[in-house]
Amino acid sequence: MIPAPFDYHRAGTLDEAIGLLARYGGDARVLAGGMSLLPTLKLRLGSFGHLVDISRIAALEYVKEEKGALRIGAGTRQATLERSEVTRKIGVLADALPLIADPLVRNRGTIGGNLANGDPSNDHPAIAIALGAELVARGPKGERSIPANRFYKDLFVTDLKADEILAELRIPLPPPRSGSAYRKLKRKTGDYAVAAVAVQLTLDSKGAVERCCIGLTNVAPTPLEAVEAQKFLVGKMPDEKTLADAARLAAKAASPSADRRGSAEYKREMVRVLCARALQAALGRART
Ligand SMILES: Cc1cc2nc3c(=O)[nH]c(=O)nc-3n(C[C@H](O)[C@H](O)[C@H](O)COP(=O)(O)OP(=O)(O)OC[C@H]3O[C@@H](n4cnc5c(N)ncnc54)[C@H](O)[C@@H]3O)c2cc1C
């Protein structure tokens, strides 16, 4: 189908883009890589009077370590992240990036678009939750930082206001004895997850779990944090039974719906299996 008519604005700077969003309010949408927005428009699942293209704003494309954090500009392409030495050091990102969509989509799709879309089937939201990341938004009133686990409000609804742009993903660098991992089940290359689990854990000097964060992909209307499983693990020695019990708690947190990727029961069971595997992999990395 052909999209409904819209006015196209190419912003040269972030301030210009924010100004355009403020001028057109809810009738404007940011256009980044277009990998999710353009199909939405073409299928007429949504229509907007104005598209504000931020894809040429070079200042939004960077990956750097600074002041104890990994800072990723929202305009950074997923393919750039995949090739980055910095992101390769973070297990959960190294695991996930090659599994997202396909190389063509990763060449265009940005990390900001993936996070801001509010789609629970996207992989980066659960990863950001597991990494304890902050999402930095810029709007007419300045900058604010939102923890990833509070950013998602409902299906395709985020904490971003109509005149705000997601500018950066800020990931605290994990402390020593930390490990992270991503385990994703998908039917074929280019498909979204049936279910996926992101984990980061930190061990104390005796080998017990000091901190753990678990994010779930595509098993609820929003990306989820498996809070009970996290609480259960803290302070415990991570033996096989403990990890299996935590994985069961993570599965309980999921509220998937049945679709062509499987029944709700099947998806919940996949969360259990994937969570146990992600915890084992993260643990192995934390110990080395
Ligand atoms: C065939 C296919 C398979 C895919 N499979 C996967 C998959 O397995 N896993 C996965 O995670 N993703 C998958 N995707 C989605 C892909 O990763 C997209 O790139 C991503 O979701 C959107 O990024 P984008 O830059 O293209 O955003 P766009 O499509 O340009 O924008 C998406 C939405 O986010 C908003 N937006 C974009 N950038 C910003 C910003 N900086 N601030 C505020 N709002 C913003 C837009 O207004 C729009 O509402 C797939 C996509 C396709 C087409």
Side-chain angles (χ1 to χ4, degrees):
M1 266 194 282
I2 296 174
F6 55 81
D7 286 343
Y8 171 85
H9 310 265
R10 182 185 291 168
T13 65
L14 190 51
D15 285 341
E16 194 187 330
I18 291 166
L20 286 161
L21 289 183
R23 187 184 316 159
Y24 298 114
D27 197 29
R29 269 291 184 285
V30 168
L31 173 66
M35 292 292 100
S36 297
L37 184 58
L38 294 184
T40 305
L41 298 177
K42 284 176 136 187
L43 293 168
R44 301 237 177 171
L45 298 172
S47 73
F48 307 100
H50 302 268
L51 292 193
V52 178
D53 186 352
I54 61 166
S55 67
R56 313 281 175 104
I57 304 178
L60 282 176
E61 291 183 47
Y62 55 86
V63 184
K64 57 187 176 193
E65 274 183 37
E66 208 174 84
K67 295 184 187 152
L70 173 60
R71 299 176 58 181
I72 304 174
T76 308
R77 313 272 161 189
Q78 300 186 72
T80 309
L81 272 185
E82 196 181 350
R83 289 192 295 267
S84 152
E85 284 300 322
V86 189
T87 44
R88 260 189 236 154
K89 287 194 268 177
I90 299 191
V92 65
L93 286 173
D95 288 344
L97 282 160
L99 302 176
I100 293 176
D102 55 48
L104 294 177
V105 173
R106 295 199 294 273
N107 275 337
R108 292 287 315 157
T110 63
I111 178 107
N114 194 294
L115 289 162
N117 201 24
D119 183 344
S121 58
N122 280 357
D123 294 288
H124 281 292
I127 294 169
I129 289 171
L131 290 173
E134 303 260 320
L135 282 77
V136 181
R138 282 270 303 274
K141 292 186 187 141
E143 190 175 289
R144 70 188 178 105
S145 191
I146 309 131
N149 63 356
R150 285 197 234 135
F151 187 73
Y152 297 97
K153 301 297 181 195
D154 206 340
L155 189 66
F156 293 105
V157 181
T158 72
D159 198 46
L160 277 182
K161 300 193 169 51
D163 56 2
E164 281 182 324
I165 289 182
L166 179 60
E168 184 178 281
L169 175 67
R170 209 170 281 170
I171 301 169
L173 289 178
R177 294 189 297 269
S178 295
S180 65
Y182 197 60
R183 290 295 178 266
K184 172 174 177 174
L185 174 67
K186 57 178 181 169
R187 298 175 303 172
K188 59 180 174 63
T189 295
D191 193 19
Y192 291 88
V194 172
V197 179
V199 166
Q200 177 168 255
L201 54 78
T202 304
L203 302 175
D204 66 18
S205 56
K206 296 195 178 94
V209 177
E210 187 174 275
R211 218 167 62 182
C212 178
C213 216
I214 302 173
L216 309 181
T217 298
N218 212 11
V219 287
T222 64
L224 276 190
E225 184 180 16
V227 178
E228 293 306 317
Q230 296 171 180
K231 280 193 204 153
F232 171 80
L233 276 172
V234 171
K236 294 202 171 66
M237 293 306 286
D239 56 33
E240 207 165 309
K241 178 175 182 319
T242 304
L243 297 189
D245 288 345
R248 259 189 287 279
L249 287 173
K252 259 190 174 177
S255 56
S257 40
D259 59 16
R260 64 208 155 107
R261 293 190 179 86
S263 65
E265 294 72 26
Y266 171 69
K267 291 180 182 182
R268 207 173 285 114
E269 176 62 2
M270 289 306 100
V271 172
R272 186 188 68 75
V273 172
L274 295 166
C275 187
R277 290 180 187 172
L279 283 167
Q280 284 289 0
L283 180 64
R285 287 169 177 165
R287 283 177 172 159
T288 52

